[in-house]
Amino acid sequence: MLLSLLKILLFFAVVLLLALGAVHLSETGQMLRLEYGGTEIALTPVKALVALLVLMVTAWLIFKLLGLLLAVLRFLVGDETAINRHFARSREKRGYAAFGEGMLAVASGEGKLAQDKAAKAAKYLNQPHLTNLLAAQAAETAGDRTRAIEIYRDLLSDDRTRFVGIRGLMRQKLAEGETHKALLLAQKAYALKPRHKEVQDTLLELQTKEHDWKGARQTLKDKRAQGDLPKDVALRRDAVLALQEASDVLAHGNSISAREAAISAAKASPDLIPAAVLAARSYAAQKDYRNASRILEKTWSVLPHPDIAAAYAEIVPDEKPDTRLKRFDNLMRKNPDHGETRLLKAELLISCEDFPGARRALGDLAETHPNVRTLSIMAAIERGEGADDSVVRGWLTRALTASRGPQWVCDKCHNVMHEWAPVCDSCGGFDTLTWREPDNVRTTPSATGAEMLPLLVGAPKPAPAPEPVAPHPAPTDAVPDLTDPVVPHPPGPAEPEGPRPVRELDMPAVPPGIVPRESDYRRVDDPSATVTTPEPVKPAKAPARPEAAEPLIITPAPARKPDAAAADQSARPISEAEPVMIRPDVEPSDGSDRDKDRTRP
């Protein structure tokens, strides 16, 4: 408020002074006289002041016109002038407008429009490091990789855009699948800007894909030094890289370096199971069984795994089952309540043929967490305790559709791998495999329970083949007596042509020479048939035959279940198995006897 008041007072003071000066000049009688070429001009003070102002304006206009004339002359000559600067400013304005529109087109995904705007911006602007970058991005958006590669190569010639050009070429090679060339470009880009996070991650990923474990460890060390990774994550990844480096060194025969790398990896990350297994085997190869056992026991306390148990068994390969069980107590005590420990103990007790102890060690895992392994162990226990094959097959049948249990599963893409690897085969993720049970993954049935049983408990012994029963040959010297008429078969269905089938019969249980009764014969398969074939008998004396003897017709009794005797008779030929009529009243005789009977009164 005070400042505004002062400004107002100052304004009025200036106006007052000007007014007083004008009054003083108007009241004075002095005149300004100008004389030039015999002409005298007399001006009052006010007129003199106005004339001075007009003169100053005229002089300013004259100088401006002279400057404009000089600029036109220089423009015609070709020198840079204000006119040039005017047109240049106009072109620059239109170029930046096209550049901005091109950036918006790239952001919106309009590749063709972005290329047009990039060409227009390059025409108006004399800044190739900007226009080339826009043209490269526009070519990428439009899908013109050839044009994009050409522009990125042009960017390599300028120090300001060399990193951008290398990074652009690296991305193009990655898109084309040329990982080796992309790795070389990533190394150059990393040398220019080592703190660039995207380049660091890309370089580390490419180094792991190309199995450059040593370079990957150095890149990981730089990321950790720059504070881009937490300490525990950096140690874990360094352990994984050290493990793979040890595996490659071991493949080339350098066991000492491999052992040192594996030991350092196991110490850095105790839950890295492959590192512990490799370190233990390296110790065992050097006859250092104590350190081999110690490193496996430490890893078992963190995360039990079947590979650890297998490596622990390899320390003393030729030992008895009971001795191995005692030695494995040191390992199982490290994590006694874990499911893998219970499964391992059950397997060791099965090898010792302690099946009740194996059942107690397994507990309720077969019910609470059924998988292929637990159900198979339960089937082995039932088999060892003498259960029926149906019980064993029941457990094995459940194992067919049960889960396979924990496996190496990728946390990124949920891919299941049979063996551990630092890089996932599906998504290429680094150190993403975890030992756990997959989500909603079941095994496909590939065999029946009966087919799996021999794999677990051994194939059953084949039953002995029955001994062949030699048929009794029919006597050839005995000639049946057919002097008496034979009663034909009663009406019934005709017998089929071809050889007659063997029938199961019961032989009459009567002594030789006695006529059997109807109830003494039993037929199983064909109760409606009547036996009329006589049985050959040896000649024997018998009472005289009556003149009018009626023929004997044998009707079989109803069928009954065959016993052992009937089964034995069914294996004989039909000539001996079928019952025959015995006629003790018929006496075989020769021709003299027949004539004698005829002359008898």
Side-chain angles (χ1 to χ4, degrees):
M1 181 66 69
L2 182 61
L3 182 61
S4 300
L5 179 62
L6 292 176
K7 289 179 179 180
I8 294 172
L9 293 176
L10 180 62
F11 174 75
F12 280 109
V14 172
V15 172
L16 180 61
L17 290 176
L18 292 176
L20 293 176
V23 171
H24 177 72
L25 290 175
S26 62
E27 289 179 357
T28 184
Q30 301 295 332
M31 301 288 290
L32 179 62
R33 298 180 182 274
L34 297 175
E35 184 175 357
Y36 178 76
T39 302
E40 180 179 357
I41 301 173
L43 298 175
T44 61
V46 177
K47 293 181 178 179
L49 183 60
V50 173
L52 181 62
L53 293 176
V54 171
L55 181 64
M56 292 176 61
V57 172
T58 304
W60 180 80
L61 290 176
I62 293 173
F63 280 109
K64 286 296 181 180
L65 291 175
L66 291 176
L68 179 61
L69 180 61
L70 182 62
V72 171
L73 294 175
R74 293 178 62 186
F75 175 75
L76 295 176
V77 174
D79 295 339
E80 183 180 357
T81 60
I83 298 177
N84 290 341
R85 289 192 296 270
H86 170 73
F87 287 108
R89 285 193 297 268
S90 178
R91 290 169 59 87
E92 184 178 0
K93 183 177 180 181
R94 285 182 288 176
Y96 276 116
F99 184 83
E101 293 176 358
M103 293 295 294
L104 293 176
V106 169
S108 60
E110 298 176 293
K112 183 63 178 177
L113 178 61
Q115 286 183 317
D116 295 340
K117 295 299 180 181
K120 185 177 181 180
K123 178 181 178 182
Y124 290 132
L125 294 177
N126 189 21
Q127 297 182 5
H129 63 284
L130 295 179
T131 56
N132 287 340
L133 179 60
L134 177 60
Q137 293 181 353
E140 286 184 354
T141 305
D144 190 358
R145 293 183 178 178
T146 304
R147 176 61 180 167
I149 292 176
E150 292 178 357
I151 298 174
Y152 280 130
R153 287 177 179 174
D154 294 339
L155 293 176
L156 298 177
S157 59
D158 193 348
D159 294 339
R160 296 173 296 178
T161 58
R162 181 176 291 111
F163 175 79
V164 178
I166 295 175
R167 178 175 172 272
L169 292 175
M170 177 189 69
R171 292 173 57 184
Q172 294 300 318
K173 295 302 178 182
L174 285 176
E176 294 175 359
E178 300 181 7
T179 56
H180 183 68
K181 294 182 179 179
L183 175 61
L184 298 178
L185 292 171
Q187 291 174 350
K188 293 181 179 179
Y190 184 72
L192 292 175
K193 290 187 177 182
R195 300 186 67 89
H196 196 279
K197 293 184 179 181
E198 181 184 357
V199 174
Q200 285 180 348
D201 296 338
T202 305
L203 177 60
L204 183 61
E205 182 180 357
L206 291 173
Q207 286 172 337
T208 54
K209 287 184 178 180
E210 294 294 322
H211 295 178
D212 184 11
W213 311 116
K214 186 176 181 180
R217 293 188 69 183
Q218 183 62 38
T219 305
L220 189 66
K221 183 179 179 180
D222 295 341
K223 288 177 66 66
R224 179 185 175 186
Q226 295 170 9
D228 296 335
L229 283 178
K231 182 178 179 180
D232 54 346
V233 177
L235 291 176
R236 166 72 182 189
R237 294 185 177 181
D238 185 69
V240 173
L241 296 174
L243 172 61
Q244 290 304 116
E245 184 180 3
S247 300
D248 292 349
V249 171
L250 185 62
H252 290 83
N254 193 348
S255 59
I256 298 177
S257 300
R259 182 176 69 253
E260 293 177 355
I263 293 171
S264 63
K267 290 181 179 180
S269 181
D271 59 339
L272 188 57
I273 297 170
V277 172
L278 182 59
R281 288 175 177 170
S282 301
Y283 276 128
Q286 300 296 324
K287 307 299 182 181
D288 191 357
Y289 303 121
R290 181 179 180 183
N291 286 327
S293 301
R294 183 179 300 175
I295 197 170
L296 290 175
E297 291 171 1
K298 181 179 179 181
T299 307
W300 188 272
S301 63
V302 178
L303 180 61
H305 192 274
D307 291 346
I308 301 176
Y312 202 79
E314 292 176 2
I315 296 176
V316 186
D318 301 329
E319 60 181 344
K320 296 181 179 180
D322 54 349
T323 306
R324 174 163 292 183
L325 178 61
K326 293 179 182 179
R327 185 171 65 89
F328 267 77
D329 285 340
N330 297 327
L331 180 69
M332 293 185 292
R333 281 199 301 266
K334 299 300 180 179
N335 203 336
D337 298 331
H338 198 274
E340 186 65 32
T341 304
R342 297 166 65 183
L343 291 173
L344 175 61
K345 188 174 182 180
E347 290 176 348
L348 293 173
L349 290 172
I350 289 175
S351 63
C352 296
E353 298 184 0
D354 185 5
F355 300 104
R359 185 186 293 271
R360 290 191 299 270
L362 187 63
D364 58 347
L365 284 180
E367 300 296 337
T368 59
H369 193 190
N371 54 42
V372 175
R373 191 177 175 192
T374 57
L375 296 176
S376 300
I377 292 176
M378 196 63 193
I381 293 173
E382 294 289 352
R383 185 63 175 176
E385 291 181 348
D388 294 338
D389 288 349
S390 60
V391 178
V392 179
R393 290 192 182 97
W395 288 105
L396 294 178
T397 303
R398 290 182 58 188
L400 292 176
T401 55
S403 171
R404 293 186 59 184
Q407 301 178 73
W408 291 112
V409 183
C410 179
D411 296 333
K412 187 176 180 180
C413 65
H414 304 286
N415 179 40
V416 179
M417 298 180 61
H418 298 288
E419 296 181 357
W420 181 89
V423 180
C424 177
D425 294 340
S426 179
C427 64
F430 177 74
D431 191 24
T432 57
L433 297 183
T434 305
W435 181 254
R436 61 182 176 86
E437 190 168 357
D439 299 333
N440 299 327
V441 176
R442 296 289 181 180
T443 57
T444 303
S446 59
T448 61
E451 294 174 354
M452 291 182 62
L453 181 62
L455 302 178
L456 184 64
V457 298
K461 297 181 179 180
E467 298 181 358
V469 180
H472 296 281
T476 57
D477 55 349
V479 180
D481 181 41
L482 301 176
T483 56
D484 294 335
V486 179
V487 178
H489 288 282
E495 293 184 0
E497 298 181 0
R500 297 178 61 188
V502 179
R503 300 190 178 108
E504 298 181 359
L505 303 173
D506 285 341
M507 294 299 293
V510 296
I514 303 300
V515 178
R517 298 185 298 244
E518 295 180 0
S519 61
D520 295 331
Y521 289 90
R522 298 291 185 270
R523 184 181 300 276
V524 175
D525 58 342
D526 191 7
S528 62
T530 303
V531 179
T532 59
T533 304
E535 180 182 6
V537 296
K538 295 181 180 181
K541 292 183 180 182
R545 189 183 100 185
E547 291 291 334
E550 295 180 359
L552 178 63
I553 300 175
I554 303 174
T555 303
R560 67 179 183 180
K561 184 177 181 181
D563 52 5
D568 182 69
Q569 291 292 336
S570 62
R572 297 182 182 179
I574 188 170
S575 61
E576 184 178 352
E578 292 182 352
V580 297
M581 297 169 48
I582 300 177
R583 298 291 300 273
D585 55 336
V586 177
E587 179 181 2
S589 61
D590 52 5
S592 59
D593 293 335
R594 188 180 302 110
D595 297 337
K596 183 178 178 181
D597 292 337
R598 289 177 181 176
T599 58
R600 185 178 300 175

